[in-house]
């Protein structure tokens, strides 16, 4: 719906005067070539006169007349009739840009009234090589929208983490409507617990696995409390890279106590199927035909024997051969037996 003639045609199909005028205003906003929108200006001026806004009507008629004179085209009777309706109003130059914007909202809300409002948050902002500004909005559930920042007045001075209510076209993924949200910054993206697998102290970057098994990386301040095998809460969203691959980008994180985090991770009673004292570890399987994992002696005081049952909290990750494995984040002794073993 980004062509003026769509809205011009829509305006002929509705009876509500304010909606009709909003559609005409939308059409004027979308087309800069005066040659195409002369009739639209006359119809819009007619509405403005009926609404008592003679100054704005005068601006429309002046712009219409100026272009017709410039092109050497005949001035139709309709223009003269409308002009007589504002004889007591001086000719006004300028534009009705702010009026178009406010009235077009009525048209947008009418056309898109059946689309749901979706709460999204601004997660990225940048300028391209041509100095055009763009932002990315996400619902925190895997759906992102790229938007030209200057295409929406509300986004001109928006900051990272700021939430909005939006309507968008599903097929084209284009932003249609946007309005403020009263939610706190970043609240749209839910917090999720993660286990810190490795910390690169030289680059101040941590690698973690979330409780729903997503691999994430985040930068941290050297003074922050983050270490191998610690727990954090992160807010992250799925971002598409230029090569069409995806990665999970962390937008915020904070430390978390182990006892608060464990309940977020999977847990299961498993059987130990191998013990290797020379390598200081033991191996377990999650069930018949399922993946397994290892527990190193340095991470627990337990020294089980083959066939013993233990309770593990874990997440699923991949080894260097891209094979799925269960990464243990906590292990406890248990008197329970593993199901199906």
């Amino acid at each position: 719906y980004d062509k003026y003639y769509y809205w011009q045609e829509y305006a002929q199909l509705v009876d509500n005067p304010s909606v009709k005028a909003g559609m005409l205003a939308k059409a004027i906003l979308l087309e800069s070539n005066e040659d195409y929108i002369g009739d639209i200006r006359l119809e819009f001026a007619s509405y403005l006169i009926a609404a008592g806004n003679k100054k704005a009507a005068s601006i429309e008629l002046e712009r219409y007349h100026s272009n017709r004179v410039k092109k050497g085209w005949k001035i139709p009777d309709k223009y003269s009739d409308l002009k007589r309706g504002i004889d007591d109003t001086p000719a006004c130059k300028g534009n009705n840009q702010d009026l178009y914007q406010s009235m077009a909202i009525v048209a947008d809300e009418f056309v898109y009234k059946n689309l749901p409002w979706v709460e999204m948050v601004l997660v990225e902002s940048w300028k391209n090589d041509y100095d055009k500004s763009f932002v990315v909005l996400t619902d925190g559930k895997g759906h992102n929208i790229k938007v030209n920042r200057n295409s929406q007045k509300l986004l001109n001075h928006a900051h990272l983490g700021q939430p909005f209510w939006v309507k968008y076209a599903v097929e084209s993924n284009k932003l249609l409507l946007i309005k403020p949200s009263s939610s706190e910054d970043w609240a749209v993206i839910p917090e999720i617990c993660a286990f810190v697998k490795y910390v690169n102290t030289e680059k101040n970057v941590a690698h973690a696995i979330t409780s729903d098994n997503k691999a994430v990386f985040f930068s941290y301040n050297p003074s922050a409390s983050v270490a191998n095998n610690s727990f954090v809460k992160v807010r992250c969203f799925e971002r598409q890279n230029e090569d069409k691959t995806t990665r999970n980008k962390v937008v915020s994180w904070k430390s978390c106590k182990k006892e608060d985090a464990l309940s977020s991770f999977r847990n299961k009673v498993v059987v130990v199927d191998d013990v290797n004292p020379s390598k200081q570890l033991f191996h377990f399987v999650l069930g018949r035909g399922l993946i397994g994992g290892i527990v190193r002696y340095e991470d627990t005081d337990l020294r089980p024997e083959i066939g013993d049952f233990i309770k593990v909290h874990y997440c699923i990750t991949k080894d260097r051969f891209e094979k799925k494995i269960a990464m243990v984040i906590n292990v406890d002794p248990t008197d329970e037996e593993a199901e199906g073993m």
Side-chain angles (χ1 to χ4, degrees):
Y1 302 133
D2 57 354
K3 303 297 182 183
Y4 80 93
Y5 45 80
Y6 291 151
W7 294 94
Q8 182 182 20
E9 293 174 5
Y10 292 156
Q12 310 313 312
L13 302 176
V14 297
D15 297 323
N16 185 300
S18 61
V19 173
K20 182 187 288 287
M23 291 179 174
L24 297 174
K26 185 82 172 182
I28 295 172
L29 281 171
L30 290 170
E31 183 53 61
S32 59
N33 190 329
E34 287 290 333
D35 296 352
Y36 299 151
I37 57 175
D39 289 344
I40 299 174
R41 286 199 184 279
L42 289 182
E43 191 172 358
F44 189 53
S46 177
Y47 165 82
L48 293 172
I49 292 172
N53 193 344
K54 293 184 177 181
K55 181 178 179 180
S58 177
I59 291 175
E60 294 302 310
L61 293 176
E62 179 63 25
R63 296 198 66 169
Y64 174 85
H65 183 267
S66 176
N67 188 62
R68 302 288 290 192
V69 171
K70 180 180 177 181
K71 297 292 184 177
W73 295 342
K74 180 182 177 181
I75 306 298
D77 292 340
K78 184 175 181 179
Y79 166 83
S80 302
D81 292 341
L82 291 171
K83 188 69 174 173
R84 281 193 291 272
I86 57 170
D87 278 343
D88 56 344
T89 303
C92 299
K93 295 186 178 181
N95 64 68
N96 287 319
Q97 197 71 16
D98 289 342
L99 181 63
Y100 302 149
Q101 295 284 359
S102 63
M103 295 185 69
I105 293 175
V106 177
D108 284 331
E109 291 180 345
F110 178 84
V111 171
Y112 305 130
K113 61 184 177 183
N114 292 327
L115 291 177
W117 285 101
V118 179
E119 193 171 26
M120 305 188 89
V121 58
L122 195 159
V123 290
E124 291 188 293
S125 176
W126 76 95
K127 286 187 177 182
N128 66 9
D129 294 339
Y130 303 99
D131 206 35
K132 289 187 176 180
S133 297
F134 293 90
V135 299
V136 170
L137 303 172
T138 184
D139 63 359
K141 302 173 184 177
H143 191 87
N144 305 331
I145 302 176
K146 177 183 173 182
V147 186
N148 184 323
R149 183 187 281 271
N150 296 323
S151 69
Q152 298 289 337
K153 189 174 183 179
L154 198 58
L155 292 175
N156 283 347
H157 303 291
H159 59 267
L160 292 177
Q162 187 170 346
F164 300 94
W165 287 102
V166 306
K167 292 190 178 189
Y168 63 89
V170 176
E171 292 184 2
S172 63
N173 203 38
K174 182 177 180 180
L175 181 67
L176 301 173
L177 291 177
I178 184 169
K179 64 181 181 180
S181 166
S182 59
S183 297
E184 295 182 359
D185 283 5
W186 298 118
V188 175
I189 302 177
E191 280 189 330
I192 187 169
C193 290
F195 176 69
V196 178
K197 183 178 179 182
Y198 174 72
V199 175
N200 186 324
T201 54
E202 292 184 0
K203 297 183 178 180
N204 296 326
V205 173
H207 175 206
I209 307 295
T210 64
S211 58
D212 59 354
N213 305 317
K214 294 177 181 177
V216 297
F217 296 85
F218 60 91
S219 300
Y220 66 91
N221 189 300
S223 62
S225 177
V226 58
N228 292 344
N229 302 328
S230 62
F231 292 85
V232 293
K233 285 186 177 181
V234 300
R235 297 185 191 272
C236 61
F237 72 100
E238 191 175 83
R239 182 185 187 278
Q240 188 175 70
N241 301 316
E242 292 183 0
D243 60 0
K244 304 301 181 181
T245 59
T246 59
R247 68 182 178 89
N248 297 297
K249 182 174 180 178
V250 174
V251 294
S252 69
W253 72 273
K254 63 183 180 183
S255 296
C256 176
K257 293 181 179 180
K258 181 178 180 178
E259 53 267 32
D260 295 331
L262 281 182
S263 62
S264 300
F265 290 85
R266 300 182 187 184
N267 69 85
K268 190 172 185 179
V269 175
V270 299
V271 64
V272 175
D273 67 339
D274 188 33
V275 177
N276 192 326
S278 63
K279 291 186 177 181
Q280 300 284 288
L281 57 82
F282 55 89
H283 184 273
F284 66 87
V285 289
L286 294 176
R288 293 186 187 275
L290 300 179
I291 62 176
I294 63 171
V295 179
R296 300 185 183 281
Y297 285 2
E298 64 188 41
D299 296 326
T300 179
D301 293 330
L302 294 182
R303 297 296 181 264
E305 296 180 356
I306 294 176
D308 285 351
F309 294 103
I310 57 174
K311 185 175 184 178
V312 296
H313 285 79
Y314 66 96
C315 49
I316 305 300
T317 185
K318 293 181 179 180
D319 62 17
R320 58 193 181 96
F321 303 108
E322 292 298 301
K323 181 181 177 181
K324 286 185 178 180
I325 59 171
M327 185 174 68
V328 177
I329 60 176
N330 186 68
V331 57
D332 291 305
T334 182
D335 292 329
E336 300 177 63
E337 292 189 1
E339 295 182 5
M341 298 300 293

